[in-house]
């Protein structure tokens, strides 16, 4: 089937004079669609609709109806999975094989929302434990927190919408979503799919905002109860400072994921996993493998094995079955990655393999050995297909170096030694530590969080649903209790 390629602002009754946003494929720059841009009047209308909807308790959707809508949405997405995957690959540049996996995850994520509705519940609050609480019975239940505003990122154009928008639907919160300007089509398709599944359009509104001042001002609106942001730390922390008093938020930013290896690590197991974790989606993943610390005696062998894996990963058009590494999202990002690699080499890093453009939009998988700590590739999130190997003589020193960045997200350790594994687990600055696996592993029901400058709050669908609710208590007092 042919999917729709132009979208009007999805705000009931709104019109806009802001023009349209043209969407181009990052691989070849071809125009693949467009989205109407929202002006200030359209944004105001969306906020009014969401606030009024939440304020009218009689309009709230009961749990059985939310479950029914989500079930139908999962069924529709299953029927159209291949079309959604292909269009997502074109729009975001993630290879088709990985875009298919993203669609599969999206379907599973919708089912995870349904399961959480079915299993999440309040609890009895103990009373009668002291004289003051005698003759009382108390319990809690959950209610939607209020209107949700979601600002999303480009790198997982479907799953990030599943993570941010579908939990709001599951909780019964009206939600307004602004997708990344590079990848709005997947978002609008998913929102229209929700409407097709029976969700009244006012409950999920989508709009594209080009005006940064308008986007920033919207975040600070007092009608917003919860703000969810996925994107750069610089933007996310700035937007958090604009929130109105009382607005809750969740932020998910990037990292510079470390891997610790010791001399018992199985390199034949590690190499394909680390190559996938480093070069998947051209490294444009917040928990991509970036910094690998290994004993100096194994650095050369590890680099050779990683290079062999990289050589098997075809670079090019993300819509082709055989391609494993697609383009960077924008030309300026390719130029930045190229500059950072050149800077590291000039500072003394050894270029083991790669280090050059594959085309005007693709950068080849690159392996650097021992770039100095002050280089951008060592101290900042690369967000490109580059991995850095660092040799060490002392494990404690390696862990200290791994922790010497302001980011903390996911990490991993490769070892057959339990003492090394637990040492790394206890000492690494990370929310999650993988053992004998790459840093980019995730399932959508696990807690997923960036700490320090990498984010705020706990992601993962059940945790996001919890964030978008209030737990409200009811306390009875009676002499008969």
């Amino acid at each position: 089937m042919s999917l729709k390629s132009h979208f009007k602002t999805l705000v009931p009754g709104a019109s806009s004079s802001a023009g349209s946003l043209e969407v181009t494929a990052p691989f070849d720059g071809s125009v693949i669609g467009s989205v109407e841009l929202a002006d200030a009047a359209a944004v105001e209308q969306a906020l009014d609709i969401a606030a009024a909807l939440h304020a009218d308790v009689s309009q709230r959707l009961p749990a059985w109806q939310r479950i029914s809508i989500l079930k139908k949405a999962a069924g529709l997405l299953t029927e159209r999975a291949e079309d959604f995957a292909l269009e997502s690959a074109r729009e975001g540049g993630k290879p088709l094989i990985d875009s298919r996996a993203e669609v599969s995850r999206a379907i599973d994520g919708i089912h995870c929302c349904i399961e959480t509705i079915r299993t999440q519940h309040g609890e009895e609050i103990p009373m009668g434990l002291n004289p003051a609480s005698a003759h009382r019975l108390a319990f809690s239940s959950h209610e939607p927190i209020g209107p949700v505003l979601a600002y999303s990122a480009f790198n997982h154009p479907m799953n990030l919408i599943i993570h941010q928008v579908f939990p709001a639907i599951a909780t019964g919160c009206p939600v307004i979503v602004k997708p990344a300007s590079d990848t709005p089509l997947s978002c609008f398709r998913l929102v229209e799919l929700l409407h097709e599944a029976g969700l009244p359009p006012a409950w999920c509104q989508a709009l594209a905002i080009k005006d940064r001042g308008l986007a920033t001002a919207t975040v600070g609106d007092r009608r917003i109860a919860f703000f969810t942001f996925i994107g750069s730390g610089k933007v996310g922390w700035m937007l958090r400072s604009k929130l109105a008093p009382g607005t809750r938020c969740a932020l998910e930013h990037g990292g510079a994921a470390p891997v610790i290896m010791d001399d018992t690590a199985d390199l034949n197991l590690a190499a394909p996993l680390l190559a996938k974790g480093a070069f998947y989606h051209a490294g444009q993943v917040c928990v991509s493998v970036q910094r690998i610390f290994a004993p100096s005696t194994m650095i050369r062998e590890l680099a050779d094995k990683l290079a062999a894996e990289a050589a098997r990963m075809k670079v090019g058009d993300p819509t082709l079955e055989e391609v494993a590494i697609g383009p960077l999202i924008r030309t300026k990002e390719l130029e930045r990655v190229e500059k950072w690699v050149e800077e590291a080499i000039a500072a003394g890093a050894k270029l083991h393999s790669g280090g050059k453009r594959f085309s005007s939009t693709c950068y080849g998988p690159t392996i650097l050995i021992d770039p100095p700590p002050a280089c951008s590739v060592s101290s900042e999130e690369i967000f490109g297909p580059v991995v850095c190997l660092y040799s060490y003589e002392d494990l404690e020193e390696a862990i200290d170096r791994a922790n010497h960045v302001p980011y903390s997200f996911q990490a991993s350790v490769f070892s057959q030694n339990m003492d090394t594994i637990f040492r790394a687990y206890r000492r690494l600055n990370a929310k999650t530590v993988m053992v004998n696996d790459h840093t980019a592993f995730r399932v959508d029901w696990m807690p997923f969080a960036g700490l320090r400058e990498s984010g705020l709050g706990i992601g993962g669908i059940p945790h996001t649903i919890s964030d978008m609710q209030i737990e409200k208590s009811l306390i009875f007092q009676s002499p008969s209790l």
Side-chain angles (χ1 to χ4, degrees):
M1 64 178 289
S2 176
L3 295 181
K4 184 175 174 180
S5 61
H6 176 72
F7 294 89
K8 301 281 285 182
T9 296
L10 296 179
V11 175
S15 60
S16 177
S17 59
S20 292
L21 172 68
E22 193 174 72
V23 182
T24 58
F27 177 67
D28 59 10
S30 61
V31 177
I32 57 174
S34 58
V35 176
E36 182 183 46
L37 289 166
D39 59 15
V43 172
E44 179 66 19
Q45 187 159 335
L47 290 166
D48 271 345
I49 289 170
L53 201 56
H54 178 70
D56 187 350
V57 176
S58 68
Q59 291 196 65
R60 293 186 186 173
L61 302 176
W64 67 263
Q65 190 173 356
R66 285 177 265 139
I67 289 171
S68 176
I69 290 165
L70 290 169
K71 276 184 176 179
K72 188 168 182 184
L76 291 170
L77 186 53
T78 301
E79 291 170 9
R80 303 166 193 175
E82 184 64 15
D83 297 297
F84 269 80
L86 181 59
E87 292 304 310
S88 179
R90 291 175 67 206
E91 180 182 29
K94 183 187 290 184
L96 182 58
I97 186 173
D98 296 317
S99 290
R100 285 177 179 143
E102 182 174 353
V103 175
S104 179
R105 254 184 78 190
I107 295 164
D108 195 48
I110 299 172
H111 286 293
C112 187
C113 287
I114 295 168
E115 290 164 8
T116 306
I117 296 172
R118 290 185 180 281
T119 57
Q120 193 178 63
H121 53 80
E123 61 181 5
E124 182 183 354
I125 301 163
M127 291 288 155
L129 303 182
N130 60 9
S133 63
H135 307 297
R136 285 170 172 82
L137 173 69
F139 62 85
S140 65
S141 60
H142 292 96
E143 291 186 0
I145 194 171
V148 170
L149 179 66
Y151 282 10
S152 203
F154 79 87
N155 54 333
H156 305 291
M158 292 192 61
N159 259 323
L160 298 187
I161 304 305
I162 298 295
H163 295 161
Q164 293 176 283
V165 171
F166 281 64
I169 304 306
T171 62
C173 289
V175 57
I176 302 166
V177 56
K178 183 191 84 66
S181 58
D182 292 304
T183 55
L185 302 177
S186 293
C187 171
F188 276 71
R189 288 184 182 116
L190 280 172
V191 172
E192 286 201 339
L193 183 135
L194 272 171
H195 297 164
E196 185 181 348
L199 183 72
W203 283 96
C204 185
Q205 305 175 86
L207 38 75
I209 304 175
K210 191 173 183 180
D211 184 328
R212 290 187 180 182
L214 177 58
T216 301
T218 304
V219 169
D221 193 280
R222 289 180 177 272
R223 286 166 287 189
I224 298 302
F226 191 85
F227 174 58
T228 166
F229 175 85
I230 300 177
S232 78
K234 180 180 179 181
V235 175
W237 292 113
M238 180 276 291
L239 291 175
R240 180 191 179 224
S241 73
K242 306 297 183 183
L243 296 177
T247 302
R248 273 46 177 175
C249 75
L251 309 175
E252 185 183 308
H253 304 145
V259 176
I260 301 292
M261 307 184 74
D262 72 3
D263 55 12
T264 70
D266 182 341
L267 295 188
N268 291 324
L269 166 72
L273 292 170
L274 292 174
K276 180 67 176 179
F279 304 132
Y280 160 65
H281 197 9
Q284 298 170 116
V285 179
C286 59
V287 286
S288 174
V289 172
Q290 179 171 326
R291 300 174 299 136
I292 302 173
F293 298 84
S296 56
T297 53
M298 70 163 54
I299 279 286
R300 181 69 193 212
E301 184 182 0
L302 174 61
D304 288 345
K305 287 183 179 295
L306 284 174
E309 294 293 334
R312 286 191 277 271
M313 301 172 82
K314 186 169 181 178
V315 181
D317 183 345
T319 64
L320 300 179
E321 295 273 354
E322 66 271 18
V323 167
I325 302 173
L328 276 83
I329 191 65
R330 306 182 199 99
T331 302
K332 71 176 184 179
E333 292 302 310
L334 184 148
E335 292 168 350
R336 176 190 57 78
V337 170
E338 189 173 52
K339 179 181 177 182
W340 284 14
V341 170
E342 291 170 354
E343 170 197 77
I345 294 169
K350 179 182 177 183
L351 176 64
H352 184 78
S353 61
K356 58 186 178 182
R357 296 185 184 206
F358 179 84
S359 69
S360 61
T361 59
C362 298
Y363 195 79
T366 297
I367 300 169
L368 296 173
I369 298 177
D370 286 324
C375 289
S376 297
V377 296
S378 296
S379 59
E380 301 292 336
E381 181 183 29
I382 298 173
F383 226 57
V386 179
V387 66
C388 302
L389 276 56
Y390 303 88
S391 56
Y392 74 81
E393 305 299 331
D394 177 76
L395 179 64
E396 294 299 318
E397 176 226 354
I399 294 174
D400 286 341
R401 288 163 64 191
N403 287 339
H404 196 63
V405 292
Y407 314 106
S408 177
F409 215 134
Q410 296 195 161
S412 80
V413 53
F414 279 80
S415 175
Q416 304 301 316
N417 185 315
M418 292 303 295
D419 287 336
T420 297
I421 291 168
F422 283 114
R423 222 156 134 204
Y425 171 67
R426 292 295 298 272
R427 292 211 50 217
L428 281 169
N429 289 338
K431 176 65 177 71
T432 301
V433 177
M434 312 297 171
V435 177
N436 295 325
D437 201 356
H438 62 66
T439 58
F441 172 80
R442 180 184 184 182
V443 289
D444 295 320
W445 54 89
M446 67 183 257
F448 184 77
L451 308 177
R452 303 177 72 198
E453 291 186 22
S454 290
L456 180 69
I458 307 293
I461 285 170
H463 308 278
T464 300
I465 287 175
S466 181
D467 271 352
M468 291 179 179
Q469 294 175 322
I470 59 170
E471 190 170 9
K472 192 172 183 178
S473 299
L474 183 65
I475 304 175
F476 291 90
Q477 188 274 333
S478 168
S480 297
L481 289 169

